[in-house]
């Protein structure tokens, strides 16, 4: 398994990790396959969406907060149930194809680590099949 | 990578693409493996759900619109943030098993391309491992 | 394809199936790969999240009910549209890495079958690549 570490800096944040994924595949000499990206955390997620306009990320995070407010009526004593719920809705893995050593993303797509209970030290795990 | 194209005809729509997936696998002679379906777009998604009653799709699209209204308070200047958010919640890939040349779906399952900002020309990318 | 059966006991429930996944892989002698778990149902899902505190599950299920109420305005005559919608948002497959015969989960992660229209007899399908 390949891995890379990231550090998030605020409670809710979408971090563009496309270049780290590319670097990890390049270092490992991956030429072809399906690249599986996996987040081993329960209050974070991973997704693929628009990377060009930072306002998209802002709208996504704001709207997730509106739907699943941090200060809801929750039983979980740690107080971060909203982050667990967002993590489940966004998901903890994505897959991307690799061909000729190149990550195959759509024109506007970038890969985002989604922090919902930061700031924290986080990891992304990677396998290619 | 295999691909096929689709054309959506309205802003929000769930298009049953099961037969196109089957045709793509048949043409490629795929007998066995895990079939990865990937949407290279940021305002569309892909999911697996009931194909029998069209009212299920209608309820899904109506409820997603209720949860994430098109005319919300968004910053993204293109005005389609709702579509980006739905795309993230629904997801941009699914996987289905293939055995003896047959797609292994549950009794009621069909594969749906989810358009959230149409009408547009769209693609689905396919790899089997 | 490997499979295992589960029985859910109430309408909405998150069932920790980590040990059944481990047992299935052990019986099949799986040492290494990407383990794909697939739910062949349209009113259930599968996710990976915190297994330690049962209150997390309770908060997740309660909040999904708040967002997508069972008694909403739905057209689907069976009356279980809420379950279909939750199934789409949570997703019908997950993947986990396997190394040296061990499922690679994060410290707090467990695998959950998510029942949204139980009680029912359900299945989880498994393939490792």
């Amino acid at each position: 398994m390949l891995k890379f570490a990231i550090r998030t800096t605020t409670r809710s944040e979408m971090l563009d990790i496309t270049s780290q994924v590319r670097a990890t595949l390049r270092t490992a000499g991956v030429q072809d396959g399906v690249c599986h990206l996996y987040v081993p955390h329960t209050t974070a997620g991973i997704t693929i969406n628009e990377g060009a306009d930072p306002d998209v990320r802002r709208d996504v995070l704001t709207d997730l907060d509106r739907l699943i407010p941090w200060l809801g009526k929750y039983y979980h004593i740690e107080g971060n149930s909203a982050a667990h719920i967002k993590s489940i809705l966004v998901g903890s893995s994505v897959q991307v194809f690799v061909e000729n050593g190149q990550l195959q993303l759509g024109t506007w797509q970038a890969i985002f680590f989604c922090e919902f209970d930061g700031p924290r030290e986080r990891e992304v795990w990677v396998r290619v099949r």
Side-chain angles (χ1 to χ4, degrees), chain A residues 41-106:
Chain A
H41 309 292
T42 61
T43 53
I46 186 165
T47 195
I48 297 175
N49 208 266
E50 176 171 330
D53 179 3
D55 277 344
V56 172
R57 274 160 271 179
R58 187 180 173 187
D59 285 341
V60 170
L61 294 171
T62 304
D63 219 45
L64 286 177
D65 266 343
R66 176 183 62 80
L67 287 168
I68 305 140
W70 186 262
L71 295 171
K73 283 193 183 173
Y74 303 117
Y75 290 94
H76 181 45
I77 206 155
E78 277 186 74
N80 61 354
S81 281
H84 287 288
I85 298 162
K86 290 176 187 175
S87 164
I88 287 171
L89 294 181
V90 168
S92 57
S93 65
V94 291
Q95 27 280 322
V96 193
F97 303 156
V98 182
E99 292 191 352
N100 304 315
Q102 302 297 315
L103 212 50
Q104 302 297 302
L105 291 168

Side-chain angles (χ1 to χ4, degrees), chain A residues 18-53:
Chain A
T18 315
S19 63
Q20 277 148 294
V21 174
R22 282 206 179 97
T24 304
L25 297 177
R26 202 181 312 120
T27 306
V30 173
Q31 283 300 308
D32 187 89
V34 175
C35 172
H36 297 273
L37 301 169
Y38 182 87
V39 165
H41 309 292
T42 61
T43 53
I46 186 165
T47 195
I48 297 175
N49 208 266
E50 176 171 330
D53 179 3

